[in-house]
Amino acid sequence: MKSFKITVITVAVLLSSFISNAQWCKPVYTNTCAFGGYGSIIRVNIGTYSRTSTCVGYDTTGVVSPTAPVTSLFQGQSYNFVATGNNGQNVQFGIWIDLNNNYSFADAGEYIGGTTTAGTTYTKSYTIPTSLAPGNYRVRFRTGTNGFGNSPAFDSSKACTTYAYGEAEDYIIKIKKSYTDNVGVSAINNPTGGACGDSNTHVKVTISNYGTNSQNVIPLYAVFNDGTNNYIFSETYSRTLAAGATDTFTFAKRLNTYAGATDRKSTRLNSS
């Protein structure tokens, strides 16, 4: 019995070590960033997130940490995933998401799209599955070419394969639960905190619909504070705001701004 117990403990320790050291595969380029970054990625967009970069071959700058994703996306909502290549050079593009966090991009549905003909940019509209559990997930963007018009297209099996030229960039995104009704003021555009010197200031806000339903009667409020008193703006947005859309709204009431004024915005309903 003692021998049996020792064997089980040894296996458990080895398994734990294997899991803790697991990592995503590293894409291979035989001419990393040659010729001024030939075929590299210069810009990535994920929804409203945008990043411009220089070639480093395999760029994990967007992977800040498992608790600090670059952007948050909502279940059931559609977002554009965009990669732009360097200096108008024709390359293939591919995008993957590790949907089950098993350190692989090869599972069914994880290759979300790519080019079949080499080009200079690629946009993929992708709907976050409603069944995808809230949490953090790794996204991979790749470009690739072997030069001289030889640019084999990516597919589900090529998240890590070898190309002569190109680049890969990984990012962490956070998936949040979607609600049917999830809308409100997401930013105060004007005035900003500390604004002063105008007795007739327009108050302008951004409204965001994070829900799955269109909305057409949205109560809005914005509050400005001078350190002692709150000045409340409350009106109704009556236009139709589609699911996932944003719009701007200007209150009819004006604000007398002055030094030291601060602002705060309404919180979204049902936000997570």
Side-chain angles (χ1 to χ4, degrees), residues 74 176-177 179 181-183 210 267-272:
F74 288 85
K176 291 186 175 183
K177 181 177 176 60
Y179 294 87
D181 301 307
N182 182 16
V183 63
Y210 297 97
T267 55
R268 297 199 306 271
L269 304 177
N270 298 324
S271 61
S272 62

Side-chain angles (χ1 to χ4, degrees), residues 81-180:
F81 289 67
V82 185
T84 303
N86 186 24
N87 295 328
Q89 295 153 352
N90 289 327
V91 293
Q92 298 286 3
F93 293 84
I95 306 173
W96 295 258
I97 304 177
D98 184 5
L99 296 172
N100 56 6
N101 280 328
N102 68 342
Y103 304 98
S104 168
F105 294 104
D107 298 310
E110 294 188 335
Y111 178 63
I112 68 170
T115 52
T116 55
T117 302
T120 59
T121 188
Y122 175 66
T123 299
K124 172 63 180 181
S125 178
Y126 179 73
T127 301
I128 305 300
T130 56
S131 59
L132 187 61
N136 295 334
Y137 296 88
R138 195 179 188 103
V139 181
R140 174 163 295 176
F141 293 80
R142 284 197 77 181
T143 57
T145 178
N146 290 328
F148 305 104
N150 178 16
S151 300
F154 289 109
D155 58 38
S156 60
S157 68
K158 295 180 179 178
C160 310
T161 52
T162 300
Y163 279 76
Y165 307 96
E167 190 182 17
E169 296 187 2
D170 285 5
Y171 295 83
I172 295 294
I173 59 173
K174 185 178 186 66
I175 301 301
K176 291 186 175 183
K177 181 177 176 60
S178 281
Y179 294 87
T180 301

Side-chain angles (χ1 to χ4, degrees), residues 181-188 206-208 210 218-223 264-272:
D181 301 307
N182 182 16
V183 63
V185 174
S186 56
I188 293 178
T206 295
I207 311 162
S208 298
Y210 297 97
I218 305 171
L220 304 174
Y221 77 87
V223 181
R264 59 186 174 90
K265 60 182 181 294
S266 65
T267 55
R268 297 199 306 271
L269 304 177
N270 298 324
S271 61
S272 62

Side-chain angles (χ1 to χ4, degrees), residues 64-86:
V64 180
S65 77
T67 58
V70 297
T71 189
S72 294
L73 309 178
F74 288 85
Q75 296 168 330
Q77 298 295 315
S78 295
Y79 301 91
N80 282 339
F81 289 67
V82 185
T84 303
N86 186 24

Side-chain angles (χ1 to χ4, degrees), residues 46-58:
I46 306 172
T48 58
Y49 171 79
S50 180
R51 175 175 177 259
T52 300
S53 63
T54 57
C55 183
V56 296
Y58 176 40

